[in-house]
Amino acid sequence: MLSTALRYFLEVARTGSLSEASQRLHVTVSAVSRQIAKLEDHLGAPLFDRHPRGMVLTASGELLADYARRSALEAERVAVEVREGVGLRKGAVRIAVSDGVALIASRAVRAFQAEHPDAAVDLTVAPSDAIVKQLRQGEVDLGLVFTLLPEADLRIEKSWSTYTCVFVRRDHPLAALPSVTIDDLRGVKLALPTHNTIARVVALLRVDERTMQASTFTSNSFAIICDYVRGERAVGIASDIAIRSLGESRAGAGDDGFVIIPFAQPDLYKRTVQLYGSGGRILSGSGMLLRNILIGAVDAAASA
């Protein structure tokens, strides 16, 4: 429901390119360029700096882009509410989650759609920094992320405390320890994440191949790290909530299950899981229902 000029402007702002914007909009480059020029003439200010490598928003352009994004989100929200009100198919609820809580989110979505089979959900797994950016730009409705410090400009739906811990197979030599120190990890085979806040904690621990004096495997996938820990009898480092989401812990794990071992000083490695709502988006009825189910799912994993 935005004007043509604003729609074209937003696409150029998103892509940084007149030609790419024209392809996405299925119009000519000249048509996009004319609409941008019309806006600049109307506002009396340049909206983009033109560079050989692309179009970059000016300060005036940033202001207009923020307004246009919020207008688009509000128009979409109203359209969704109208469709829901007259019984038509609901608009998709868009969620972005950190890799370590993706399994929790997936189960929550399945539970939600079991109760609301006509509801559409789009679930994306991404690094925390990318999710925060999507939330700020209004590209997703909800974001579930690990963080060291909360994002003050985003709406916090709920927070959970979580700790970076070690996890191993039940038959690993470390499995019998009540807690571990950095010295306990020297000389063992490690499986570590390559991004997100755990990677930052790992860096603070100075856990790397040189200090450990053993082979180190890294991956940006929690599922792959778990598979490596299980298959290679390695030592993994992850969030306690992430490991508990697998249904494997010291109590009740099978012979090939994982044992969670805290660090001797767990408060040094404390983080939070934040469920954020988009700063510029009001949740639809479907979004609120899914939010509540997601909160219940994380509550269950955090208390397991």
Side-chain angles (χ1 to χ4, degrees):
M1 291 188 281
L2 289 179
S3 70
T4 299
L6 281 179
R7 286 194 299 108
Y8 287 15
F9 163 75
L10 273 182
E11 198 59 49
V12 175
R14 184 179 297 113
T15 62
S17 165
L18 287 171
S19 59
E20 187 173 347
S22 72
Q23 292 174 6
R24 289 174 177 267
L25 293 164
H26 305 291
V27 297
T28 65
V29 172
S30 61
V32 177
S33 182
R34 282 196 302 272
Q35 292 295 335
I36 300 299
K38 182 189 299 184
L39 272 178
E40 291 180 324
D41 182 62
H42 176 71
L43 296 171
L47 300 175
F48 293 96
D49 287 326
R50 277 75 168 172
H51 298 287
R53 295 184 178 179
M55 307 277 282
V56 179
L57 286 169
T58 62
S60 298
E62 291 282 1
L63 286 173
L64 182 62
D66 182 65
Y67 162 78
R69 290 188 189 106
R70 290 179 181 275
S71 297
L73 292 173
E74 181 63 14
E76 180 184 341
R77 183 191 69 80
V78 171
V80 168
E81 294 296 340
V82 169
R83 288 196 297 269
E84 290 183 350
V86 298
L88 299 179
R89 187 176 183 273
K90 301 174 178 64
V93 182
R94 290 173 285 187
I95 311 174
V97 301
S98 296
D99 184 55
V101 288
L103 184 57
I104 298 174
S106 176
R107 289 170 178 163
V109 169
R110 288 165 56 196
F112 169 70
Q113 290 189 316
E115 296 180 8
H116 308 279
D118 60 337
V121 180
D122 180 76
L123 176 61
T124 301
V125 179
S128 296
D129 291 346
I131 295 172
V132 168
K133 182 178 179 181
Q134 288 178 304
L135 285 162
R136 286 184 175 135
Q137 294 182 346
E139 296 175 358
V140 294
D141 300 288
L142 295 166
L144 186 64
V145 301
F146 290 98
T147 181
L148 295 173
L149 293 172
E151 303 291 337
D153 60 328
L154 294 177
R155 186 177 73 251
I156 299 175
E157 303 289 341
K158 189 165 182 181
S159 300
W160 297 265
S161 293
T162 183
Y163 297 87
T164 301
C165 60
V166 162
F167 67 101
V168 295
R169 279 175 29 170
R170 292 180 63 85
D171 59 354
H172 193 279
L174 294 182
L177 296 180
S179 63
V180 295
T181 65
I182 296 304
D183 287 338
D184 294 323
L185 301 183
R186 297 190 185 281
V188 303
K189 184 181 291 186
L190 290 171
L192 307 175
T194 53
H195 64 72
N196 73 31
T197 55
I198 291 182
R200 297 174 196 169
V201 172
V202 168
L204 292 174
L205 293 172
R206 300 177 65 186
V207 177
D208 56 38
E209 195 165 355
R210 292 171 297 173
T211 58
M212 292 300 101
Q213 301 173 353
S215 61
T216 300
F217 172 79
T218 60
S219 174
N220 65 348
S221 167
F222 176 59
I224 290 174
I225 287 176
C226 290
D227 185 67
Y228 188 86
V229 169
R230 182 179 285 110
E232 298 296 323
R233 294 186 72 215
V235 175
I237 294 182
S239 159
D240 58 345
I241 286 182
I243 298 300
R244 289 191 179 104
S245 73
L246 301 173
E248 299 174 330
S249 63
R250 185 181 296 277
D255 292 338
D256 62 344
F258 293 137
V259 174
I260 300 172
I261 313 171
F263 281 100
Q265 296 176 289
D267 284 344
L268 294 178
Y269 317 118
K270 183 177 179 180
R271 300 175 298 143
T272 60
V273 176
Q274 301 279 7
L275 178 61
Y276 290 118
S278 170
R281 181 184 293 275
I282 299 173
L283 285 176
S284 66
S286 297
M288 287 296 296
L289 291 171
L290 180 53
R291 164 196 174 276
N292 295 339
I293 292 175
L294 184 57
I295 287 175
V298 182
D299 281 344
S303 60

